[in-house]
Amino acid sequence: MATAALETQLTTENKRVEEMLTTLTNGLPSRITSFMTAFLSKRDNAFPQVSVVIFDVVPVNLGNAYNATSGIFTTPVNGTYLFSMTIGNPTGKPGTIRMEKNQESIAYAFAGHTRGWDHGSQTIVVRMSVGDVMSVEGEVHVS
């Protein structure tokens, strides 16, 4: 797919996400202090060793808890947080992702081990304290 077409698709998706978030956040209690969504714009990102995934597209970062330079989410207030991640890889390009809370693995997903496109997802609810950090780490191929 041409670069211009990908940019158009990305812009369209960003607008769609922003519209959904506006709909979702209308009427939410004012105590919600952070809300973010992020993803990778490239289909295949090689990670020869386990590394923090730094998402290059961050259409929403309410509260600025996600640092787009380091790939780290730092908890702004004590509370219960919901984190979700998805990986989708083609046959022959297996990869894994895992959520790390304070540098300890708490969830993982993998994809690319079957025929065609393979997807893995994980959603987790976590009790977090101010200053706790959450990251997604990837290994091999991450899409």
Side-chain angles (χ1 to χ4, degrees), residues 11-88:
T11 300
T12 301
E13 288 300 311
N14 284 343
K15 287 179 184 176
R16 189 175 68 80
V17 167
E18 287 176 18
E19 289 171 3
M20 287 186 332
L21 291 173
T22 298
T23 301
L24 284 171
T25 56
N26 283 340
L28 286 176
S30 60
R31 68 178 182 230
I32 293 179
T33 59
S34 63
F35 187 95
M36 55 90 56
T37 186
F39 53 93
L40 296 169
S41 61
K42 290 183 358 184
R43 282 186 129 180
D44 185 15
N45 301 275
F47 290 85
Q49 60 188 24
V50 177
S51 303
V52 173
V53 176
I54 299 174
F55 298 99
D56 61 329
V57 181
V58 186
V60 177
N61 192 8
L62 177 72
N64 295 315
Y66 178 72
N67 181 320
T69 302
S70 68
I72 304 293
F73 176 92
T74 303
T75 308
V77 296
N78 295 338
T80 303
Y81 289 74
L82 179 127
F83 293 93
S84 183
M85 63 181 182
T86 300
I87 184 173

